[in-house]
Amino acid sequence: MDRLIRFIKFPISFDVDKLKSDLAGILNKSWTDHYNKNDYTGKWTSVALMSKDGKSDSIFALSNAGDEMMHTEILDSCTYFKEILDNFHFEKTAVRLLQLAVGAEIKPHSDHCLGYEDGSFRLHIPIITNPDVEFILDGKRLIMNEGECWYIDANFTHSVANRGNQDRIHLVIDGIRNDWTDALFYKEAPENQFIKPESAMNEEQKQLMIAELKRMNTTAANELIKNLK
């Protein structure tokens, strides 16, 4: 029987009113279109709360461990988001708000080396969502409610469709595994159940992605190439 861990809903909940209060001060800021243009339809935008250069439009998620992350000018005004981040005792490689507009869809895809078994991981904290958001992970629909905290093994194929009448906004935190996170994760599932899926990006897929990024020939694309290699 396949017992690989695809997701964890942690026994942690956050104050939804405080989450939405911090978010309210950000909604009128400049949100950046997500860079994976071929992976979605509709509007999918992001704001960085932490980034390597401290800028809120630096929304790339493939930072190297050891890169010093800086608060962006937007995080400095968000007391509750800062409190949440301070209570997660691990190195962050990306901290963003991701907004999927009404009618938008993120196509089925898998991310590179974003499972706990890789030594890195991604957490989702929904701030605004609705019952008609369809988040599918490896063929299973996940219902993530406001204020909850979820780990998603992004090595598995996943997709999202916002079929509701309200934009969906998550706080998404990428981090590096350490002893503190081991205690958090292995309380929910045994270590031997965190194994890379066979469907994870193979070498051919990686080379195709690198070729496409080389064609784009932007500073951001070259940074992504460096991380993929």
Side-chain angles (χ1 to χ4, degrees):
M1 181 179 172
D2 178 7
R3 296 181 60 83
L4 302 185
I5 296 300
R6 290 155 173 78
F7 63 89
I8 295 172
K9 179 189 173 188
F10 289 106
I12 302 169
S13 60
F14 298 101
D15 187 311
V16 174
D17 289 338
K18 287 183 178 180
L19 288 170
K20 292 185 176 182
S21 176
D22 272 8
L23 177 64
I26 298 170
L27 287 173
N28 63 351
K29 303 292 185 184
S30 178
W31 291 63
T32 302
D33 289 339
H34 199 283
Y35 47 87
N36 285 339
K37 303 286 187 185
N38 295 327
D39 280 353
Y40 65 95
T41 59
K43 197 157 186 62
W44 186 25
T45 55
S46 182
V47 166
L49 300 181
M50 295 181 71
S51 65
K52 284 193 293 184
D53 59 7
K55 294 179 179 176
S56 60
D57 60 354
S58 297
I59 63 168
F60 298 98
L62 287 173
S63 295
N64 292 314
D67 286 342
E68 186 175 349
M69 299 292 285
M70 300 167 60
H71 288 192
T72 68
E73 75 282 2
I74 286 180
L75 180 58
D76 285 336
S77 65
C78 300
T79 54
Y80 192 52
F81 291 162
K82 280 198 285 191
E83 181 184 323
I84 291 170
L85 294 172
D86 287 345
N87 285 324
F88 281 134
H89 302 298
F90 55 81
E91 181 184 343
K92 286 81 174 174
T93 57
V95 180
R96 301 167 294 162
L97 294 169
L98 287 167
Q99 179 170 201
L100 191 67
V102 171
E105 296 190 27
I106 303 170
K107 301 172 188 177
H109 68 288
S110 58
D111 295 298
H112 177 60
C113 288
L114 257 178
Y116 200 67
E117 61 275 8
D118 297 306
S120 58
F121 58 92
R122 173 166 290 168
L123 302 179
H124 280 255
I125 300 172
I127 303 175
I128 296 176
T129 191
N130 65 75
D132 297 313
V133 170
E134 293 180 2
F135 190 109
I136 309 295
L137 177 68
D138 196 33
K140 177 182 175 64
R141 184 179 180 188
L142 303 185
I143 307 292
M144 292 187 275
N145 297 308
E146 294 174 357
E148 295 177 346
C149 182
W150 290 72
Y151 157 70
I152 303 299
D153 189 336
N155 285 327
F156 287 94
T157 300
H158 54 286
S159 62
V160 194
N162 186 356
R163 307 193 193 284
N165 56 12
Q166 190 175 29
D167 293 350
R168 168 232 198 216
I169 303 177
H170 283 196
L171 171 58
V172 180
I173 305 165
D174 292 358
I176 301 295
R177 170 183 171 177
N178 63 17
D179 290 343
W180 186 90
T181 62
D182 279 354
L184 181 71
F185 275 70
Y186 298 152
K187 189 175 180 182
E188 306 304 318
E191 182 175 358
N192 63 7
Q193 290 182 15
F194 292 90
I195 300 173
K196 202 173 187 71
E198 291 181 8
S199 60
M201 183 187 291
N202 61 33
E203 188 60 30
E204 181 183 1
Q205 291 171 315
K206 189 163 79 168
Q207 293 308 319
L208 286 171
M209 182 178 287
I210 288 172
E212 174 65 16
L213 289 166
K214 281 181 177 175
R215 189 188 62 78
M216 291 167 63
N217 193 30
T218 63
T219 302
N222 292 332
E223 180 69 17
L224 289 170
I225 290 169
K226 195 165 62 177
N227 282 282
L228 281 168
K229 288 179 175 177

